[in-house]
Amino acid sequence: MAETALDYEHASDIELCRLIVRRDRQAVRLVTRRNNQRLYRAAWSVLKNRAEAEEAVQDGYLKAFAAIGSFDGRSSLSTWLTRIVVNEALGRRRTTQRRARLLQAHDVTDIADYRESAMAGAERPGDASPRTPEAEIARAQIARLLERAIGELPETFRTVFVLREVEGLSVEETADALQLPKETVKTRDLRARRRLQDALDPDLRDALRGVFPFAGADCDALTDRVLTAFVASASAG
């Protein structure tokens, strides 16, 4: 009797974790492709630097996959991964801040700039109709305006806002990912939206889903790097 092919797309989080424990590459690829955008946005909200955010996501994945057997399903796999990547980003930022303080103590002024502009412009997946060049220019301008305004929010507001309003997580999911009380999430989100309300008219709100794009070739490249490192770690073990 032929063995039934595994339906990866409809596998539960626990089933995917069991597959990753068994070093299943297809499960790793599926999980990374599903979560790359959210995790990149979460890391960027802490680091505000594209390259640093990508590295934090990659290292976060590898730490998560190394400990995947501890995932108990009490939260979603996406939320569990978000928590790990946010902690990775926070750790990187603390290291950078310590290094900066040491440099400043020695009168070194050439400190890395962590105000790099967020990526702009890739077309959203699933857009049905082609855009005119004029519409693309306008959209890119709006996206840059939003990204700049969000980037200038205090970090405690910014990470909550990105997860809630850009990524669309619920209050409960955001609280779980950031290990915050739900009321704190609500308060920070409200304060962030109040700070942005002058810029966020209805047209700009519609553009929120298009900011910080991380899809297509970028998404595929990150997935390939994570999978390569995952396979290498398995071989080393």
Side-chain angles (χ1 to χ4, degrees):
M1 182 176 178
E3 185 177 349
T4 303
L6 180 62
D7 185 354
Y8 284 84
E9 289 292 339
H10 294 93
S12 68
D13 285 349
I14 292 294
E15 288 170 333
L16 288 171
C17 289
R18 288 172 180 164
L19 290 168
I20 293 172
V21 167
R22 298 202 297 266
R23 300 291 178 177
D24 188 299
R25 300 183 189 187
Q26 189 169 339
V28 171
R29 185 175 293 277
L30 176 65
V31 168
T32 54
R33 287 186 62 83
R34 281 180 177 174
N35 290 281
N36 280 347
Q37 175 127 301
R38 174 191 290 187
L39 300 185
Y40 168 78
R41 286 170 167 169
W44 184 91
S45 74
V46 175
L47 297 165
K48 295 199 295 183
N49 177 284
R50 173 189 173 122
E52 286 282 338
E54 288 192 36
E55 288 181 9
V57 172
Q58 179 173 325
D59 288 352
Y61 272 132
L62 295 177
K63 288 179 180 179
F65 293 154
I68 200 75
S70 67
F71 176 74
D72 57 14
R74 284 186 291 180
S75 60
S76 71
L77 181 57
S78 291
T79 298
W80 187 74
L81 290 170
T82 302
R83 189 184 310 144
I84 290 171
V85 167
V86 167
N87 286 335
E88 176 70 19
L90 289 170
R92 284 170 172 267
R93 194 190 61 184
R94 285 192 292 270
T95 298
T96 298
Q97 289 173 337
R98 284 195 296 269
R99 186 179 301 119
R101 286 194 293 270
L102 287 172
L103 290 172
Q104 288 172 336
H106 290 84
D107 296 322
V108 178
T109 59
D110 185 17
I111 297 173
D113 181 3
Y114 287 95
R115 300 290 294 180
E116 179 182 341
S117 298
M119 322 184 318
E123 186 166 331
R124 290 172 56 189
D127 282 353
S129 57
R131 302 176 186 270
T132 65
E134 292 81 5
E136 283 294 340
I137 291 171
R139 179 180 173 279
Q141 290 172 337
I142 291 172
R144 284 193 294 271
L145 172 65
L146 284 167
E147 289 166 359
R148 188 180 310 115
I150 294 168
E152 290 173 356
L153 288 171
E155 184 210 326
T156 53
F157 297 165
R158 186 173 61 247
T159 301
V160 168
F161 181 85
V162 167
L163 292 180
R164 285 280 294 122
E165 307 298 341
V166 181
E167 265 306 297
L169 272 66
S170 67
V171 170
E172 291 75 13
E173 289 171 327
T174 305
D176 192 4
L178 300 180
Q179 297 289 275
L180 293 171
K182 289 187 286 187
E183 288 305 316
T184 301
V185 169
K186 293 177 182 178
T187 298
R188 291 182 182 180
D189 185 35
L190 178 61
R191 290 179 178 174
R193 286 190 283 113
R194 283 177 175 169
R195 287 177 180 243
L196 294 171
Q197 65 184 1
D198 290 341
L200 297 181
D201 63 27
D203 290 336
L204 294 184
R205 286 184 183 274
D206 289 342
L208 265 176
R209 291 292 178 184
V211 302
F212 312 126
F214 195 74
D218 292 312
C219 178
D220 290 341
L222 178 57
T223 290
D224 289 342
R225 290 199 301 273
V226 170
L227 188 56
T228 299
F230 177 78
V231 171
S233 68
S235 302

